[in-house]
Every structure is written in structure tokens, then in C-alpha cells.
Amino acid sequence: MIFSSIGQGLLWGILGLGIFMTYRILNFPDMTTEGSFPLGGAVCVASIVSGVPPILATMLAIVAGMLAGLVTGLLYTKGKIPVILSGILVMSALNAVMLYVMQRPTLSLLNQPNLLDNFRNGSIPENFDTILLGLIAVSLIVGFLYYFFNTEFGQAYIATGDNEVMARSLGIPTDRMKIIGLVLSNGVIALSGALIAQNDGYADVSKGIGVIVIGLASIIIGEVLFGELTFFERLAAIVVGSIIYQLLILLVIRLGFDTTYLKLFSAIILTLCLLIPRFKEKLQLKTSFEKGGAAK
């Protein structure tokens, strides 16, 4: 179960990397996540069932997620609808899109090929297929993001998130940057949804409920544990945070808690991770105050 959790953590880590692009860099939460994640799984599974090769089906899932991000971006930048509301509108609409794509709420991959088949043979221990697929996918995404954010275009994207007014004064098309950010972010998130659907063996329209909490938990856990990091290390910390989160969920299950309430435990874990920096600050202030009082 530990190896299974590590494999799941790698695949969910891709979700965290996608959310990082909007939540940390552009400084806004994108609710499209809860629609583009299951959309990736729905498009991928439906395509495979229709006879499309798994690798191409996964690519189609990425494109579907990017289109969802594009719609949110246009509503936000051109329609002047608040970003959270834009995401909620698109997320709601995607529920109908997924039902149209799958023709049912749940679609199974039973007896169908998937990407994990390429890593399954007698020499690989059980659950290592998920780990291998996760490592390859995470390496590709981290490599792409590291390259992208070190380009001139990527630096303009970061500047948009840091200070939009200054970025606009420098001639950076901030609206275009936001749209591209939402497109790329939701493409990465849909990839995570596609890979997890193949690993689970099915796609479900309700799979997106609460996934933004899982992605945020990956980001926050990585930040709390590792503190100040370089950009590359920060990307790696998100993946490590995702693995730790999955291991914490495994611990909850092994302790005998009802799995029906996993979403509640997820919210509690994220809340604790968000509160830890506050506790640290208060502890440091208290220590400094006590030292100052002792010095006097």
C-alpha cells in the first residue's frame, strides 16, 4: 500500500503542479480545476473505449483541459467576470460535457488498454508500474515548466502575477498572460485526471469534487516542510508534498477511520498545514519577546 500511495502521490503531484501555475504565480484560485480534472479522465477513457490508442487519448485529454482553461480565461479577461465565478461557470458546464462524452456518469476501462500496460511485466513488482509512469510524467511536466518559466515569455508571465500594474506599464499583455496561464494550467490538470483515470480503471463525472483541496495540500505541505527554495526545488517540493499527503491519507485509513469521510480528513490536513506557518510566527515572536525581556 505504501508503494501504491507513492505512485498515486506522483500522479496527483501533476495536479499540484497545474494548480501552482495559477494559485501561486498568478495569485488566484482557479475553480475550473474541479471540472478540467474529471474532464481529462472522461475524454481519455471515452477515447480509449472508442479505439483510440492510450497515448493519443491522453493527448486529447490535455487538449480538452486546455480548451476548458481557455473558456475560463476569456470569461475572466474579456467578459470581465470574476475569476472564481468564471471557473465555477465553466466547472458546472463541464459536467454536462462529460456526460455527453461518456454517455453515462461512469465509464469503465475494463479489458481496455492503457498507458500502464507498457510498464507491466513479470520483472516489475506490483504497483511499480504506477510509480514508473508517475516518474516519467512528473519529469516531463517539471522539465517543461522549468524551461518555460526561464524563457522571456515565462518571466513575463511571472511578472504578471507579481505586479500586474507594473507588468502592464512595461508593455506586457497581462490579459494574454492570464489566458495562457489558465490554458496551460488546466492542460496539466487534465493530464493528471487522465493518468489517474487509467490507473483507477474508470472515469467518473464526480471525481473532480474536492480535488482543488488535494492540489493545494501538495503545494502547502511542500512549502511548510522545505521553506525557501529555488524554483526547480519548489516544483519538486510540490510532488514530494503530494506523496506525503497520500501517505497521510493511507495512515488515516490504516488507523481504521471510515473512508467515507476522506474529504473531511483532506480538509483537516490542509487546514493544519495552512496554520503551521502561523504557529511558527507566533512561536518566533514569543521567543524573541522573551529573549528581549531577559536581556533587559
Side-chain angles (χ1 to χ4, degrees):
M1 292 184 71
I2 291 175
F3 288 128
S4 176
S5 295
I6 292 172
Q8 288 280 340
L10 288 167
L11 298 182
W12 283 102
I14 298 171
L15 168 71
L17 291 170
I19 293 176
F20 173 78
M21 295 182 68
T22 52
Y23 179 71
R24 273 293 179 250
I25 297 182
L26 290 181
N27 296 314
F28 59 71
D30 176 26
M31 293 305 296
T32 317
T33 299
E34 301 209 352
S36 58
F37 178 84
L39 176 68
V43 170
C44 181
V45 170
S47 299
I48 291 174
V49 170
S50 300
V52 177
I55 184 66
L56 181 56
T58 304
M59 296 296 178
L60 290 174
I62 295 172
V63 172
M66 293 174 77
L67 290 174
L70 175 62
V71 174
T72 300
L74 291 174
L75 289 175
Y76 174 42
T77 59
K78 307 303 179 185
K80 303 304 178 184
I81 300 174
V83 65
I84 293 179
L85 183 55
S86 297
I88 291 172
L89 289 171
V90 174
M91 175 186 69
S92 301
L94 288 178
N95 190 68
V97 173
M98 287 183 281
L99 288 172
Y100 175 78
V101 169
M102 297 195 298
Q103 298 296 304
R104 66 199 74 179
T106 304
L107 186 60
S108 174
L109 269 177
L110 186 64
N111 299 322
Q112 298 289 338
N114 62 68
L115 287 177
L116 289 164
D117 293 339
N118 298 318
F119 304 97
R120 287 172 179 157
N121 59 60
S123 62
I124 297 178
E126 188 178 359
N127 293 316
F128 267 70
D129 51 351
T130 307
I131 293 176
L132 288 172
L133 176 61
L135 284 172
I136 292 172
V138 164
S139 298
L140 290 173
I141 297 301
V142 169
F144 165 75
L145 293 180
Y146 184 73
Y147 170 77
F148 171 74
F149 285 115
N150 276 287
T151 63
E152 186 176 334
F153 191 89
Q155 291 297 308
Y157 176 81
I158 293 173
T160 300
D162 284 343
N163 190 324
E164 184 178 347
V165 175
M166 184 189 72
R168 197 180 296 119
S169 69
L170 294 173
I172 296 173
T174 54
D175 281 353
R176 188 187 305 170
M177 292 298 163
K178 293 174 185 176
I179 292 173
I180 291 172
L182 287 163
V183 167
L184 293 178
S185 170
N186 283 283
V188 172
I189 291 166
L191 170 62
S192 178
L195 295 178
I196 289 172
Q198 292 178 73
N199 184 56
D200 293 346
Y202 71 97
D204 191 320
V205 295
S206 64
K207 253 187 176 178
I209 299 174
V211 295
I212 193 168
V213 173
I214 299 174
L216 290 175
S218 304
I219 297 171
I220 302 301
I221 290 173
E223 291 176 347
V224 168
L225 287 179
F226 301 105
E228 293 296 325
L229 300 169
T230 65
F231 185 76
F232 180 80
E233 290 170 343
R234 200 170 185 186
L235 295 177
I238 293 171
V239 179
V240 174
S242 177
I243 294 172
I244 292 172
Y245 172 81
Q246 292 299 321
L247 292 173
L248 289 173
I249 294 297
L250 174 61
L251 177 63
V252 168
I253 295 171
R254 294 299 294 268
L255 289 174
F257 290 98
D258 192 339
T259 55
T260 307
Y261 306 110
L262 278 182
K263 298 292 184 184
L264 173 61
F265 296 126
S266 300
I268 291 172
I269 290 171
L270 177 57
T271 302
L272 291 174
C273 290
L274 287 168
L275 290 175
I276 286 174
R278 305 290 176 266
F279 292 144
K280 283 184 176 180
E281 286 178 11
K282 289 186 176 180
L283 184 62
Q284 288 172 353
L285 286 172
K286 184 179 179 181
T287 304
S288 299
F289 179 78
E290 288 175 350
K291 286 181 178 178
K296 289 180 181 178

mmCIF file of all heavy atoms in Angstrom, residues 152-184:
data_model
loop_
_atom_site.group_PDB
_atom_site.id
_atom_site.type_symbol
_atom_site.label_atom_id
_atom_site.label_comp_id
_atom_site.label_asym_id
_atom_site.label_seq_id
_atom_site.Cartn_x
_atom_site.Cartn_y
_atom_site.Cartn_z
ATOM 1 N N GLU A 152 11.905 34.215 -21.798
ATOM 2 C CA GLU A 152 11.463 35.602 -21.672
ATOM 3 C C GLU A 152 9.952 35.675 -21.490
ATOM 4 O O GLU A 152 9.439 36.473 -20.699
ATOM 5 C CB GLU A 152 11.897 36.380 -22.917
ATOM 6 C CG GLU A 152 11.613 37.867 -22.838
ATOM 7 C CD GLU A 152 12.146 38.627 -24.046
ATOM 8 O OE1 GLU A 152 13.116 38.156 -24.666
ATOM 9 O OE2 GLU A 152 11.572 39.688 -24.357
ATOM 10 N N PHE A 153 9.243 34.799 -22.213
ATOM 11 C CA PHE A 153 7.786 34.757 -22.116
ATOM 12 C C PHE A 153 7.363 34.317 -20.716
ATOM 13 O O PHE A 153 6.446 34.884 -20.109
ATOM 14 C CB PHE A 153 7.228 33.784 -23.163
ATOM 15 C CG PHE A 153 5.740 33.856 -23.323
ATOM 16 C CD1 PHE A 153 5.165 34.725 -24.229
ATOM 17 C CD2 PHE A 153 4.911 33.045 -22.558
ATOM 18 C CE1 PHE A 153 3.788 34.799 -24.370
ATOM 19 C CE2 PHE A 153 3.531 33.105 -22.699
ATOM 20 C CZ PHE A 153 2.973 33.994 -23.602
ATOM 21 N N GLY A 154 8.041 33.299 -20.196
ATOM 22 C CA GLY A 154 7.731 32.805 -18.857
ATOM 23 C C GLY A 154 7.989 33.849 -17.784
ATOM 24 O O GLY A 154 7.242 33.963 -16.813
ATOM 25 N N GLN A 155 9.055 34.637 -17.956
ATOM 26 C CA GLN A 155 9.355 35.694 -16.994
ATOM 27 C C GLN A 155 8.281 36.788 -17.035
ATOM 28 O O GLN A 155 7.935 37.363 -15.997
ATOM 29 C CB GLN A 155 10.731 36.310 -17.298
ATOM 30 C CG GLN A 155 11.895 35.368 -17.015
ATOM 31 C CD GLN A 155 11.990 34.988 -15.548
ATOM 32 O OE1 GLN A 155 12.005 35.844 -14.673
ATOM 33 N NE2 GLN A 155 12.052 33.690 -15.272
ATOM 34 N N ALA A 156 7.745 37.029 -18.233
ATOM 35 C CA ALA A 156 6.651 37.999 -18.349
ATOM 36 C C ALA A 156 5.403 37.471 -17.642
ATOM 37 O O ALA A 156 4.656 38.233 -17.016
ATOM 38 C CB ALA A 156 6.349 38.260 -19.828
ATOM 39 N N TYR A 157 5.201 36.177 -17.721
ATOM 40 C CA TYR A 157 4.075 35.528 -17.037
ATOM 41 C C TYR A 157 4.217 35.684 -15.522
ATOM 42 O O TYR A 157 3.258 36.026 -14.820
ATOM 43 C CB TYR A 157 4.047 34.053 -17.443
ATOM 44 C CG TYR A 157 2.996 33.216 -16.756
ATOM 45 C CD1 TYR A 157 1.682 33.219 -17.203
ATOM 46 C CD2 TYR A 157 3.315 32.405 -15.666
ATOM 47 C CE1 TYR A 157 0.721 32.437 -16.582
ATOM 48 C CE2 TYR A 157 2.370 31.626 -15.040
ATOM 49 C CZ TYR A 157 1.071 31.640 -15.509
ATOM 50 O OH TYR A 157 0.118 30.880 -14.890
ATOM 51 N N ILE A 158 5.433 35.462 -15.006
ATOM 52 C CA ILE A 158 5.692 35.615 -13.567
ATOM 53 C C ILE A 158 5.496 37.071 -13.144
ATOM 54 O O ILE A 158 4.926 37.358 -12.083
ATOM 55 C CB ILE A 158 7.116 35.141 -13.227
ATOM 56 C CG1 ILE A 158 7.234 33.626 -13.438
ATOM 57 C CG2 ILE A 158 7.487 35.504 -11.796
ATOM 58 C CD1 ILE A 158 8.645 33.086 -13.285
ATOM 59 N N ALA A 159 5.961 38.000 -13.977
ATOM 60 C CA ALA A 159 5.822 39.424 -13.670
ATOM 61 C C ALA A 159 4.354 39.824 -13.583
ATOM 62 O O ALA A 159 3.978 40.659 -12.750
ATOM 63 C CB ALA A 159 6.527 40.260 -14.742
ATOM 64 N N THR A 160 3.516 39.222 -14.406
ATOM 65 C CA THR A 160 2.076 39.499 -14.370
ATOM 66 C C THR A 160 1.490 39.136 -13.015
ATOM 67 O O THR A 160 0.665 39.862 -12.456
ATOM 68 C CB THR A 160 1.349 38.721 -15.486
ATOM 69 O OG1 THR A 160 1.861 39.121 -16.761
ATOM 70 C CG2 THR A 160 -0.149 38.977 -15.443
ATOM 71 N N GLY A 161 1.937 38.001 -12.473
ATOM 72 C CA GLY A 161 1.455 37.579 -11.162
ATOM 73 C C GLY A 161 2.033 38.411 -10.033
ATOM 74 O O GLY A 161 1.353 38.687 -9.039
ATOM 75 N N ASP A 162 3.295 38.829 -10.175
ATOM 76 C CA ASP A 162 3.956 39.609 -9.121
ATOM 77 C C ASP A 162 3.365 41.008 -8.979
ATOM 78 O O ASP A 162 3.071 41.463 -7.874
ATOM 79 C CB ASP A 162 5.458 39.714 -9.410
ATOM 80 C CG ASP A 162 6.195 38.431 -9.094
ATOM 81 O OD1 ASP A 162 5.633 37.591 -8.363
ATOM 82 O OD2 ASP A 162 7.319 38.267 -9.593
ATOM 83 N N ASN A 163 3.227 41.699 -10.113
ATOM 84 C CA ASN A 163 2.724 43.069 -10.085
ATOM 85 C C ASN A 163 2.115 43.384 -11.445
ATOM 86 O O ASN A 163 2.820 43.775 -12.379
ATOM 87 C CB ASN A 163 3.844 44.049 -9.751
ATOM 88 C CG ASN A 163 3.328 45.448 -9.463
ATOM 89 O OD1 ASN A 163 2.376 45.916 -10.069
ATOM 90 N ND2 ASN A 163 3.976 46.123 -8.529
ATOM 91 N N GLU A 164 0.808 43.212 -11.533
ATOM 92 C CA GLU A 164 0.135 43.361 -12.829
ATOM 93 C C GLU A 164 0.245 44.779 -13.378
ATOM 94 O O GLU A 164 0.449 44.977 -14.584
ATOM 95 C CB GLU A 164 -1.341 42.970 -12.690
ATOM 96 C CG GLU A 164 -2.086 42.998 -14.016
ATOM 97 C CD GLU A 164 -3.538 42.573 -13.881
ATOM 98 O OE1 GLU A 164 -3.898 42.018 -12.824
ATOM 99 O OE2 GLU A 164 -4.303 42.801 -14.830
ATOM 100 N N VAL A 165 0.122 45.767 -12.499
ATOM 101 C CA VAL A 165 0.180 47.161 -12.955
ATOM 102 C C VAL A 165 1.548 47.473 -13.542
ATOM 103 O O VAL A 165 1.664 48.073 -14.622
ATOM 104 C CB VAL A 165 -0.131 48.120 -11.782
ATOM 105 C CG1 VAL A 165 0.052 49.576 -12.230
ATOM 106 C CG2 VAL A 165 -1.547 47.893 -11.278
ATOM 107 N N MET A 166 2.609 47.068 -12.850
ATOM 108 C CA MET A 166 3.963 47.296 -13.350
ATOM 109 C C MET A 166 4.190 46.532 -14.652
ATOM 110 O O MET A 166 4.799 47.057 -15.601
ATOM 111 C CB MET A 166 4.995 46.862 -12.309
ATOM 112 C CG MET A 166 6.441 47.151 -12.724
ATOM 113 S SD MET A 166 7.640 46.395 -11.618
ATOM 114 C CE MET A 166 7.466 44.658 -12.063
ATOM 115 N N ALA A 167 3.706 45.282 -14.706
ATOM 116 C CA ALA A 167 3.876 44.470 -15.914
ATOM 117 C C ALA A 167 3.204 45.134 -17.109
ATOM 118 O O ALA A 167 3.766 45.181 -18.208
ATOM 119 C CB ALA A 167 3.307 43.072 -15.685
ATOM 120 N N ARG A 168 2.024 45.689 -16.876
ATOM 121 C CA ARG A 168 1.308 46.360 -17.965
ATOM 122 C C ARG A 168 2.045 47.614 -18.407
ATOM 123 O O ARG A 168 2.100 47.940 -19.597
ATOM 124 C CB ARG A 168 -0.112 46.699 -17.500
ATOM 125 C CG ARG A 168 -1.055 47.025 -18.663
ATOM 126 C CD ARG A 168 -2.460 47.372 -18.183
ATOM 127 N NE ARG A 168 -3.067 46.227 -17.533
ATOM 128 C CZ ARG A 168 -3.458 46.213 -16.269
ATOM 129 N NH1 ARG A 168 -3.267 47.277 -15.500
ATOM 130 N NH2 ARG A 168 -4.034 45.152 -15.754
ATOM 131 N N SER A 169 2.653 48.315 -17.457
ATOM 132 C CA SER A 169 3.399 49.524 -17.802
ATOM 133 C C SER A 169 4.644 49.211 -18.624
ATOM 134 O O SER A 169 5.146 50.061 -19.350
ATOM 135 C CB SER A 169 3.793 50.276 -16.527
ATOM 136 O OG SER A 169 4.769 49.553 -15.794
ATOM 137 N N LEU A 170 5.144 47.975 -18.477
ATOM 138 C CA LEU A 170 6.314 47.538 -19.244
ATOM 139 C C LEU A 170 5.931 46.980 -20.610
ATOM 140 O O LEU A 170 6.780 46.510 -21.357
ATOM 141 C CB LEU A 170 7.091 46.475 -18.454
ATOM 142 C CG LEU A 170 7.753 46.953 -17.155
ATOM 143 C CD1 LEU A 170 8.336 45.768 -16.391
ATOM 144 C CD2 LEU A 170 8.840 47.981 -17.461
ATOM 145 N N GLY A 171 4.632 47.034 -20.930
ATOM 146 C CA GLY A 171 4.178 46.577 -22.241
ATOM 147 C C GLY A 171 3.825 45.099 -22.299
ATOM 148 O O GLY A 171 3.618 44.551 -23.385
ATOM 149 N N ILE A 172 3.744 44.447 -21.161
ATOM 150 C CA ILE A 172 3.376 43.024 -21.128
ATOM 151 C C ILE A 172 1.862 42.893 -21.264
ATOM 152 O O ILE A 172 1.118 43.527 -20.501
ATOM 153 C CB ILE A 172 3.844 42.363 -19.812
ATOM 154 C CG1 ILE A 172 5.369 42.390 -19.712
ATOM 155 C CG2 ILE A 172 3.338 40.932 -19.717
ATOM 156 C CD1 ILE A 172 5.917 41.914 -18.383
ATOM 157 N N PRO A 173 1.375 42.105 -22.220
ATOM 158 C CA PRO A 173 -0.082 41.903 -22.374
ATOM 159 C C PRO A 173 -0.607 40.994 -21.264
ATOM 160 O O PRO A 173 -0.670 39.783 -21.418
ATOM 161 C CB PRO A 173 -0.197 41.258 -23.752
ATOM 162 C CG PRO A 173 1.106 40.552 -23.956
ATOM 163 C CD PRO A 173 2.145 41.362 -23.223
ATOM 164 N N THR A 174 -0.969 41.592 -20.141
ATOM 165 C CA THR A 174 -1.315 40.810 -18.948
ATOM 166 C C THR A 174 -2.538 39.918 -19.153
ATOM 167 O O THR A 174 -2.587 38.805 -18.622
ATOM 168 C CB THR A 174 -1.552 41.729 -17.746
ATOM 169 O OG1 THR A 174 -2.532 42.720 -18.084
ATOM 170 C CG2 THR A 174 -0.261 42.436 -17.352
ATOM 171 N N ASP A 175 -3.528 40.400 -19.911
ATOM 172 C CA ASP A 175 -4.709 39.565 -20.161
ATOM 173 C C ASP A 175 -4.330 38.304 -20.920
ATOM 174 O O ASP A 175 -4.821 37.208 -20.624
ATOM 175 C CB ASP A 175 -5.760 40.347 -20.950
ATOM 176 C CG ASP A 175 -6.556 41.296 -20.064
ATOM 177 O OD1 ASP A 175 -6.373 41.247 -18.833
ATOM 178 O OD2 ASP A 175 -7.354 42.081 -20.605
ATOM 179 N N ARG A 176 -3.435 38.462 -21.898
ATOM 180 C CA ARG A 176 -2.983 37.302 -22.661
ATOM 181 C C ARG A 176 -2.218 36.340 -21.760
ATOM 182 O O ARG A 176 -2.359 35.123 -21.876
ATOM 183 C CB ARG A 176 -2.092 37.745 -23.822
ATOM 184 C CG ARG A 176 -1.736 36.613 -24.785
ATOM 185 C CD ARG A 176 -0.727 37.065 -25.820
ATOM 186 N NE ARG A 176 -1.186 38.251 -26.529
ATOM 187 C CZ ARG A 176 -0.420 38.961 -27.341
ATOM 188 N NH1 ARG A 176 0.846 38.616 -27.514
ATOM 189 N NH2 ARG A 176 -0.900 40.019 -27.968
ATOM 190 N N MET A 177 -1.435 36.866 -20.861
ATOM 191 C CA MET A 177 -0.681 36.020 -19.933
ATOM 192 C C MET A 177 -1.622 35.203 -19.041
ATOM 193 O O MET A 177 -1.394 34.028 -18.770
ATOM 194 C CB MET A 177 0.243 36.871 -19.064
ATOM 195 C CG MET A 177 1.381 37.510 -19.820
ATOM 196 S SD MET A 177 2.475 36.270 -20.550
ATOM 197 C CE MET A 177 3.352 37.273 -21.746
ATOM 198 N N LYS A 178 -2.684 35.851 -18.573
ATOM 199 C CA LYS A 178 -3.653 35.149 -17.736
ATOM 200 C C LYS A 178 -4.340 34.027 -18.500
ATOM 201 O O LYS A 178 -4.538 32.922 -17.974
ATOM 202 C CB LYS A 178 -4.697 36.137 -17.202
ATOM 203 C CG LYS A 178 -4.141 37.152 -16.220
ATOM 204 C CD LYS A 178 -5.200 38.168 -15.847
ATOM 205 C CE LYS A 178 -4.642 39.263 -14.957
ATOM 206 N NZ LYS A 178 -5.651 40.308 -14.658
ATOM 207 N N ILE A 179 -4.707 34.316 -19.747
ATOM 208 C CA ILE A 179 -5.365 33.293 -20.567
ATOM 209 C C ILE A 179 -4.426 32.115 -20.788
ATOM 210 O O ILE A 179 -4.811 30.944 -20.623
ATOM 211 C CB ILE A 179 -5.812 33.882 -21.930
ATOM 212 C CG1 ILE A 179 -6.938 34.899 -21.721
ATOM 213 C CG2 ILE A 179 -6.277 32.771 -22.869
ATOM 214 C CD1 ILE A 179 -7.329 35.655 -22.979
ATOM 215 N N ILE A 180 -3.171 32.413 -21.154
ATOM 216 C CA ILE A 180 -2.194 31.345 -21.397
ATOM 217 C C ILE A 180 -1.949 30.549 -20.114
ATOM 218 O O ILE A 180 -1.835 29.318 -20.139
ATOM 219 C CB ILE A 180 -0.885 31.938 -21.952
ATOM 220 C CG1 ILE A 180 -1.117 32.455 -23.369
ATOM 221 C CG2 ILE A 180 0.234 30.887 -21.949
ATOM 222 C CD1 ILE A 180 0.026 33.232 -23.950
ATOM 223 N N GLY A 181 -1.887 31.255 -18.979
ATOM 224 C CA GLY A 181 -1.701 30.572 -17.709
ATOM 225 C C GLY A 181 -2.828 29.597 -17.418
ATOM 226 O O GLY A 181 -2.598 28.458 -17.004
ATOM 227 N N LEU A 182 -4.062 30.028 -17.641
ATOM 228 C CA LEU A 182 -5.217 29.163 -17.402
ATOM 229 C C LEU A 182 -5.249 28.000 -18.392
ATOM 230 O O LEU A 182 -5.624 26.882 -18.024
ATOM 231 C CB LEU A 182 -6.509 29.985 -17.500
ATOM 232 C CG LEU A 182 -6.763 30.924 -16.318
ATOM 233 C CD1 LEU A 182 -7.800 31.982 -16.668
ATOM 234 C CD2 LEU A 182 -7.222 30.125 -15.105
ATOM 235 N N VAL A 183 -4.850 28.251 -19.627
ATOM 236 C CA VAL A 183 -4.816 27.181 -20.639
ATOM 237 C C VAL A 183 -3.798 26.113 -20.257
ATOM 238 O O VAL A 183 -4.105 24.915 -20.230
ATOM 239 C CB VAL A 183 -4.497 27.770 -22.029
ATOM 240 C CG1 VAL A 183 -4.150 26.656 -23.019
ATOM 241 C CG2 VAL A 183 -5.675 28.584 -22.554
ATOM 242 N N LEU A 184 -2.566 26.543 -19.956
ATOM 243 C CA LEU A 184 -1.516 25.587 -19.607
ATOM 244 C C LEU A 184 -1.826 24.861 -18.301
ATOM 245 O O LEU A 184 -1.644 23.642 -18.189
ATOM 246 C CB LEU A 184 -0.178 26.309 -19.495
ATOM 247 C CG LEU A 184 0.405 26.882 -20.793
ATOM 248 C CD1 LEU A 184 1.709 27.614 -20.505
ATOM 249 C CD2 LEU A 184 0.646 25.780 -21.818
#
